[in-house]
Amino acid sequence: TAFNVELNHEEMLAAGSTVAIQAALLYTNTDGQRRICVHTLCKPVTSVLADLFRNVDVDATCNMIAKVALDHALRTGLHMARRYLHRAVVDAVRAYRAATTSPYGGAAAGGPGLNTRAPLPSFTHMHAAAAAQSADITHMLPENLMLLPLYAMGLQKCPLYRGGEHIRADERSSLVYRMLTMPAVDSNIFVYPRLYSLHDMDASAGMPEPGAAPLSALATQPAVVLPTVVNLTAERLTSDGIFLLDNGVEMYLWIGRACPPAALNALFGISSLDGLDLQSLHLPELANPFSERVNAIVRALREPHFQAQKLRFVREGAGDVAEMRFHWHMVEDKQAFVGGNLTYAEYLPLVNRDSQMAQMGGGTS
């Protein structure tokens, strides 16, 4: 559970000094004892605005704007919430460009100032090719915030904020309450789900990490090696493949129409899905390496969550609700609702153009 607080400090702060923020949580543990948990955070003060941008946590930022957008959605509707999400990333790009081009912005990237955050993991560099298609993309945001446009677009297309008439009111209400207290590590997966390719995963995927301990005191198994994450676009799906998608709330196992009978037999104990009601299908634990590894991956993805994600099965070309909902999560593709009809490669130039217009005093699209 995570609670978000926005602080506004109006007094002058001396550069080179530090500021401390302390939060205390009063709670009752499972034994009925009253406890106080105190968190203290100390950060240096800088007069270099560019340094501030280079030390921002993109996951925490995305978590914050997702929750602020809830207020916009409740007061003025989903369309205005999506406009806020877009404007938030546009304002960030505009402010960073001003910080690095004005005489008051401070040191350029790599110059003197505060130490920058550690490099992002390899997952964050999957979109370098698409980003390169956008004019001046390398100057839009520092490396630690390069995924902010992708996350903002993912938020606009996720089941919580997407438009259209296919999200039931009770489902959206449930997602609202989930997001209100969702930690940054969970909102990161919810905004940009993880898509794993199972049919061609490495031999180590689904196996315990060497020397790995359980993920937590409540964990029932050690951490396992997960398959490589692929981009959320239908172009990465192959008809002879099997893909697992996880957004932290639910999972989808996508099965191509040309999936080899040997793979189906290893995973389900059947050679074909023809004439089978996928709603009655379940993932059995069979005595073969492929089944054991896939089940280990599913258990590992469910382990950190108090409420296990329901696993839904999708057959390519079925044209049913499950396949439609699976493709909702292909956030880099166009979606069939107002405000979701851009691909990621098309969205980046829009953010760049709107930020330039905002810097010159114009509005956003």
Side-chain angles (χ1 to χ4, degrees), residues 93-311:
V93 172
R94 174 192 56 77
Y96 180 69
R97 181 181 288 115
T100 53
T101 57
S102 73
Y104 305 101
L114 298 177
N115 293 329
T116 59
R117 295 177 59 84
L120 295 171
S122 57
F123 160 71
T124 63
H125 301 292
M126 293 194 311
H127 307 277
Q133 299 175 12
S134 177
D136 299 325
I137 181 62
T138 56
H139 302 293
M140 285 172 59
L141 290 167
E143 183 181 4
N144 56 298
L145 288 177
M146 286 293 258
L147 287 183
L148 188 59
L150 176 67
Y151 288 166
M153 188 184 69
L155 272 170
Q156 295 172 61
K157 295 181 179 180
C158 76
L160 176 57
Y161 292 112
R162 69 178 288 117
E165 301 177 352
H166 298 290
I167 303 291
R168 302 187 311 272
D170 58 338
E171 180 182 4
R172 205 182 303 267
S173 296
S174 174
L175 292 174
V176 167
Y177 281 102
R178 276 180 177 264
M179 178 57 71
L180 282 173
T181 57
M182 188 177 287
V185 64
D186 290 345
S187 63
N188 175 276
I189 300 174
F190 180 72
V191 170
Y192 192 87
R194 304 300 186 254
L195 181 63
Y196 304 98
S197 178
L198 301 182
H199 60 284
D200 58 354
M201 58 184 174
D202 294 337
S204 60
M207 304 297 291
E209 292 185 3
L215 296 175
S216 68
L218 300 177
T220 58
Q221 65 175 31
V224 302
V225 178
L226 296 177
T228 302
V229 176
V230 298
N231 297 51
L232 291 177
T233 172
E235 295 178 355
R236 300 302 300 268
L237 304 176
T238 58
S239 292
D240 61 346
I242 301 175
F243 294 82
L244 178 66
L245 184 140
D246 173 36
N247 71 350
V249 176
E250 55 188 355
M251 294 185 191
Y252 293 87
L253 189 67
W254 185 92
I255 305 165
R257 58 166 60 94
C259 182
L264 293 175
N265 189 60
L267 202 55
F268 301 108
I270 55 177
S271 58
S272 175
L273 297 179
D274 293 340
L276 184 66
D277 181 8
L278 295 189
Q279 293 186 1
S280 64
L281 191 64
H282 71 284
L283 185 65
E285 296 192 30
L286 304 179
N288 65 76
F290 187 57
S291 176
E292 292 170 354
R293 292 164 60 198
V294 171
N295 275 277
I297 291 169
V298 171
R299 287 194 300 269
L301 294 175
R302 285 173 169 170
E303 192 74 61
H305 301 277
F306 290 105
Q307 183 176 348
Q309 308 93 303
K310 181 177 180 179
L311 180 60

